Amino acid sequence: GAGVSQSPRYKVAKRGQDVALRCDPISGHVSLFWYQQALGQGPEFLTYFQNEAQLDKSGLPSDRFFAERPEGSVSTLKIQRTQQEDSAVYLCASSPGLYYEQYFGPGTRLTVT
Amino acid sequence: QKEVEQNSGPLSVPEGAIASLNCTYSDRGSQSFFWYRQYSGKSPELIMFIYSNGDKEDGRFTAQLNKASQYVSLLIRDSQPSDSATYLCAVNPLYNQGGKLIFGQGTELSVKP
């Protein structure tokens, strides 16, 4: 079946611009996670949803980062007033439920110039 | 002390040999353990997960978990050049009530023909 999809795959933004990153989870997966991966490092947790409820946003680095999943399926990660330090790969993962295995999408590589 | 620690490598093994990848974690109450493979420029791909002490085998891969010693390992038998990648260990710690994963920095594996 179809895996997790993310769009866009690549995004170049000028410093100060707002960006929106989309994630389509595996059909039927109730849990959705966002991670940030810097070059040479493992992914770092940002936030997660159980259906439409955002249960943990402790990993969001600043109040410029905002995520939503209004209908419990597609999720959007929004970054306002992008900074150079926001440049990274943003990974979305979905899971059949909490504590189960997570399946990652291809990621969005964000470059802030 | 990092929550999840891996040797960054690179670990180099000849084709056909057994590759042994190790990971230690700090939260003694951790319940779920995952191994992901990540090719350069790609997203993490789940290859094994283990919840109970002991060994779990899947094809050429064996995951080993020792909760008393707080380590989890991945053995790759009959290593192939196509196994060359970064292997990420991920742990779901008990203190976390929501299933987010804590990743190590990854071990780079190189299988030489």
Side-chain angles (χ1 to χ4, degrees), chain B residues 58-99:
Chain B
D58 184 2
R60 296 187 296 114
F61 299 97
T62 298
Q64 299 176 316
L65 175 61
N66 184 325
K67 290 187 177 181
S69 300
Q70 295 174 240
Y71 83 78
V72 56
S73 62
L74 179 70
L75 301 179
I76 307 175
R77 289 181 299 282
D78 188 25
S79 295
Q80 301 297 309
S82 59
D83 294 326
S84 298
T86 294
Y87 289 79
L88 295 163
C89 172
V91 175
N92 176 238
L94 179 65
Y95 69 81
N96 166 51
Q97 297 302 308

Side-chain angles (χ1 to χ4, degrees), chain A residues 9 33 35 37 40-45 48 56 58 91 98-107 109, chain B residues 2 32 34 36 38 41-44 46 49 51 88 92 96-106:
Chain A
R9 294 291 311 278
F33 300 79
Y35 295 86
Q37 187 173 27
Q41 301 297 316
E44 291 198 0
F45 170 80
Y48 84 90
D56 186 346
S58 62
L91 296 164
L98 299 181
Y99 310 110
Y100 287 84
E101 63 277 14
Q102 297 179 22
Y103 298 92
F104 282 85
R109 181 177 297 278
Chain B
K2 292 183 179 179
S32 313
F34 305 86
Y36 288 84
Q38 187 170 30
K42 302 295 186 182
S43 63
L46 179 69
F49 57 90
Y51 301 137
L88 295 163
N92 176 238
N96 166 51
Q97 297 302 308
K100 73 180 182 185
L101 296 179
I102 307 298
F103 284 84
Q105 70 177 67

